[in-house]
Amino acid sequence: MNDSDAPARLDMLRSLERVQVGHLDRTRKWIAAEERRETARQRDVQVRSSAPDWLIEMRSAGGTSWMCTSAADTWQASAIVAPIEARRCGP
């Protein structure tokens, strides 16, 4: 290698470095997104594990309102819900 090759080689190495930094930045963004998804998944698991088995859904459509019971894992997001707590009946 002669002295005239040094600047070209340095330019190539700097270009390689920019590419690698870009890859590292993208990988870090992917990791951050995956961590957010995992945090949300864990939060959902906690909410579901503490959710009641049954809900009362209060809905309205076309000026008509009604209530119904639903399994807690099947309720509709558009409904207003209230948990039904299990209580022992009788003595």
Side-chain angles (χ1 to χ4, degrees):
M1 180 162 90
N2 59 39
D3 288 340
S4 65
D5 291 338
R9 182 170 168 76
L10 188 56
D11 287 341
M12 288 189 317
L13 289 171
R14 285 188 176 138
S15 178
L16 175 62
E17 179 184 35
R18 281 191 300 273
V19 169
Q20 289 175 330
V21 167
H23 287 176
L24 182 59
D25 287 343
R26 186 172 54 232
T27 301
R28 286 179 174 157
K29 287 177 185 176
W30 289 341
I31 289 170
E34 189 61 32
E35 287 172 341
R36 285 190 300 273
R37 281 190 292 274
E38 180 61 21
T39 299
R41 190 188 69 75
Q42 288 293 330
R43 188 174 48 244
D44 289 348
V45 167
Q46 289 173 349
V47 167
R48 273 188 251 124
S49 66
S50 65
D53 291 333
W54 292 92
L55 298 169
I56 295 176
E57 293 186 54
M58 292 160 267
R59 301 184 197 174
S60 63
T64 305
S65 297
W66 68 93
M67 292 183 358
C68 61
T69 57
S70 297
D73 59 349
T74 63
W75 66 279
Q76 295 181 3
S78 61
I80 298 171
V81 297
I84 300 174
E85 296 181 17
R87 294 195 179 155
R88 184 177 174 172
C89 297

